[in-house]
Amino acid sequence: MKQYDVIIIGAGQAGSPLARKMAKAGKKVAIIEKRLVGGTCVNDGCTPTKTWVASARAAYLAGRCNNLGVHVDGYSIDMPQIKKRKDDIVMHSRSGNQKSLEEDPNIDLLFGEASFSGHKVVAVNLNDGASAEITADMIFINVGLQTVIPDIEGLDSIDYLTSTSILELKTVPQHILVIGGNYIGLEFGQMFRRFGSQITLLERGPRIMSHEDEDVSREVHNFLEEEGIAVFTNTQATKFEKDAHGRIQATLNINGRTEQMEVSHVLVAAGRKPQTQALNLQASGIEVDDKGFIKVDNKLQTNLPGIYALGDVNGGPAFTHIAYNDFTVVWRNLLMNEDLTTEDRPVPYCMFTDPQLGRVGITEEEAKKQGINYRVAVLKMKSVARAVEVGEVRGLMKAIVNADTKEILGVAILAEEGGEIMSVLQMAMQGGITYDRIRYCVFAHPTYSESLNNLFMTLDDK
């Protein structure tokens, strides 16, 4: 059994930078990755999907720029080229990340599947067929999530797509049935609609994006339908069959009535679950919750001293930037003797539909549940000068504020570059800048951020 100072399971957005920091501090590190260095973000998530979002937006602009007096005739979608561009960008990021690990003399990068065989003992079934058993005083688990596959009759017989496998398509599907009305399903649905696919989107609940306020959800629903996406709520797929010609027959329950639909592809985007099953956590005594997420305290340590869980696998917000922040918390605590916790950290995020949704802080529904004396500022994008000038008037700006202290409690910006606009207000929230000060700030003209003046001016009328 080989002794290390540190074992890291998973080379994702927390694991890889942590390996480098620990190695720089003089510790001998083993980092185990069963698939690809970089984790979901680099290989299957942020990086590849945003390259395709960019291509889809170019197609969208080519199709509507007549309104701006620019005429583009006969544009076409070159899916192999779109995929190659994505693959090249992903490979550049992945290879640079992997090279930095392999070239560090204090890091051993092991490709294989890890499982616990005892207290702080990890067995590795290496991808080359060999095996190893290693141990360390500090162990960090960064294995992420995987797609939840719903129990639907016939689903396993139709070669369904996931957010990973869909990225390997080299042709534009004729008709995609998307199961799931949240961020992954909505991004891919709009993207492939713009590539030319017919899209039918199913949401089992009463509205898409159930974690957002109803008015935000409604705005997104509306612009998706405007682009030709069929959105069905209170709807579930109950059965799939494939005919002799490869066509998929879907049986749907739509508000209690049964309908049949023929589609070419099915994308499963109904949620994600932790990849903890293969870790054999019981052998080490690491505690998990009833959904399989590893339990951690506010310093990301498990019930066992010296063993930590970082990123999506610990049940916190499932975002790349949160995984990276987990990394900063543990390395600064362990190597810099700081006393950081995950309590009260902001959780900003973006959904990269077009327009984007940038969100941070609490929603209006959450403010109600907490009994806060709050006020709501809303500004439709059709009233924003910059949006009118560039022809992007879909969406809205919304802020929840404390009526007593004037603090900004939460923000939803559904707009072109909504994430960038949201970040301005996030900085204000973290710096304690109240909405009445932003109302009279001087911003550059004409910018989207300048309209934050007008957003908070709406509160004068109440």
Side-chain angles (χ1 to χ4, degrees):
M1 186 185 304
K2 188 168 183 178
Q3 176 77 46
Y4 287 90
D5 298 311
V6 174
I7 295 172
I8 299 171
I9 305 174
Q13 295 302 296
S16 292
L18 181 61
R20 292 190 288 267
K21 281 290 185 184
M22 289 292 182
K24 187 176 181 180
K27 298 185 183 300
K28 187 63 178 175
V29 178
I31 182 167
I32 306 161
E33 174 53 53
K34 72 175 183 179
R35 197 168 71 94
L36 301 168
V37 170
T40 296
C41 178
V42 167
N43 298 292
D44 316 309
C46 314
T47 298
T49 59
K50 300 315 164 278
T51 67
W52 280 16
V53 164
S55 295
R57 178 161 171 78
Y60 168 73
L61 292 175
R64 66 177 290 272
C65 61
N66 287 352
N67 296 337
L68 302 177
V70 178
H71 301 279
V72 177
D73 298 319
Y75 78 90
S76 61
I77 301 298
D78 187 339
M79 202 64 200
Q81 182 179 345
I82 290 171
K83 182 179 182 298
K84 183 181 184 304
R85 176 177 177 270
K86 178 265 294 182
D87 290 343
D88 289 346
I89 291 171
V90 168
M91 181 57 70
H92 177 76
S93 180
R94 180 199 304 155
S95 59
N97 199 339
Q98 182 170 328
K99 184 178 180 182
S100 70
L101 296 174
E102 291 176 332
E103 292 184 346
D104 194 309
N106 280 340
I107 297 175
D108 288 343
L109 174 58
L110 308 177
F111 284 100
E113 188 159 46
S115 63
F116 284 88
S117 56
H119 178 63
K120 294 191 176 181
V121 179
V122 177
V124 187
N125 290 322
L126 297 167
N127 292 349
D128 63 7
S131 61
E133 197 167 52
I134 58 180
T135 184
D137 289 333
M138 287 191 292
I139 298 177
F140 301 87
I141 304 170
N142 179 219
V143 296
L145 306 179
Q146 63 187 19
T147 301
V148 170
I149 307 303
D151 184 15
I152 302 174
E153 182 181 350
L155 181 61
D156 58 355
S157 68
I158 63 166
D159 300 322
Y160 59 82
L161 298 169
T162 67
S163 59
T164 297
S165 62
I166 196 172
L167 293 166
E168 299 307 311
L169 292 179
K170 297 179 181 178
T171 58
V172 177
Q174 180 184 355
H175 185 179
I176 304 176
L177 180 68
V178 180
I179 300 176
N182 273 301
Y183 316 114
I184 293 175
L186 300 185
E187 286 187 17
F188 276 113
Q190 185 186 46
M191 181 194 307
F192 274 91
R193 177 64 189 140
R194 291 177 169 189
F195 288 155
S197 298
Q198 181 181 347
I199 302 295
T200 301
L201 191 144
L202 310 184
E203 167 53 46
R204 66 184 302 170
R207 60 184 175 88
I208 62 173
M209 302 169 60
S210 60
H211 298 297
E212 306 296 340
D213 282 331
E214 187 173 353
D215 53 351
V216 174
S217 169
R218 184 169 55 252
E219 286 281 334
V220 176
H221 188 134
N222 289 343
F223 73 64
L224 292 176
E225 287 194 330
E226 286 172 5
E227 292 195 28
I229 295 173
V231 180
F232 291 90
T233 56
N234 294 310
T235 300
Q236 296 184 62
T238 59
K239 184 179 179 181
F240 291 103
E241 294 178 284
K242 204 170 196 177
D243 65 22
H245 302 286
R247 294 179 297 238
I248 298 170
Q249 303 297 324
T251 302
L252 310 180
N253 183 317
I254 305 175
N255 283 301
R257 71 181 188 275
T258 298
E259 291 193 14
Q260 303 293 320
M261 181 177 293
E262 183 180 293
V263 300
S264 62
H265 296 72
V266 174
L267 170 63
V268 177
R272 294 172 70 77
K273 64 181 181 180
Q275 299 195 93
T276 50
Q277 300 91 332
L279 287 174
N280 193 30
L281 296 174
Q282 62 270 23
S284 65
I286 298 171
E287 294 181 355
V288 298
D289 67 15
D290 58 358
K291 294 183 178 180
F293 290 101
I294 298 175
K295 296 180 180 180
V296 295
D297 62 19
N298 61 12
K299 295 185 178 179
L300 301 162
Q301 187 167 235
T302 69
N303 59 300
L304 301 180
I307 301 181
Y308 298 78
L310 313 179
D312 304 351
V313 76
N314 66 29
F319 302 112
T320 290
H321 44 284
I322 296 300
Y324 187 84
N325 186 254
D326 284 354
F327 143 70
T328 66
V329 168
V330 295
W331 87 259
R332 290 168 65 188
N333 283 345
L334 295 173
L335 299 180
M336 304 294 289
N337 294 316
E338 297 189 39
D339 190 28
L340 303 174
T341 75
T342 59
E343 291 181 3
D344 299 323
R345 66 178 168 185
V347 184
Y349 59 88
C350 289
M351 178 179 69
F352 287 90
T353 52
D354 180 21
Q356 293 174 16
L357 173 64
R359 278 271 295 111
V360 67
I362 64 174
T363 64
E364 182 177 0
E365 285 301 311
E366 289 168 334
K368 286 180 183 176
K369 290 177 182 177
Q370 294 177 28
I372 297 171
N373 182 21
Y374 70 91
R375 300 176 71 190
V376 180
V378 175
L379 183 67
K380 291 278 193 173
M381 294 308 295
K382 63 184 179 183
S383 298
V384 173
R386 177 67 175 167
V388 173
E389 291 154 5
V390 301
E392 296 288 355
V393 296
R394 300 181 299 177
L396 54 79
M397 297 182 178
K398 181 175 183 178
I400 313 303
V401 305
N402 187 307
D404 301 318
T405 66
K406 295 183 170 54
E407 294 174 281
I408 304 169
L409 304 175
V411 173
I413 307 293
L414 184 60
E416 183 185 34
E417 299 300 339
E420 309 298 337
I421 307 166
M422 174 273 291
S423 295
V424 174
L425 291 179
Q426 179 193 340
M427 295 299 291
M429 292 165 68
Q430 291 186 251
I433 300 175
T434 53
Y435 79 79
D436 56 324
R437 292 176 60 191
I438 293 176
R439 187 162 55 193
Y440 300 111
C441 278
V442 179
F443 293 95
H445 175 78
T447 62
Y448 283 116
S449 296
E450 176 189 32
S451 292
L452 297 176
N453 294 141
N454 294 333
L455 171 64
F456 292 118
M457 285 289 187
T458 65
L459 294 174
D460 279 347
D461 300 329
K462 298 179 181 180

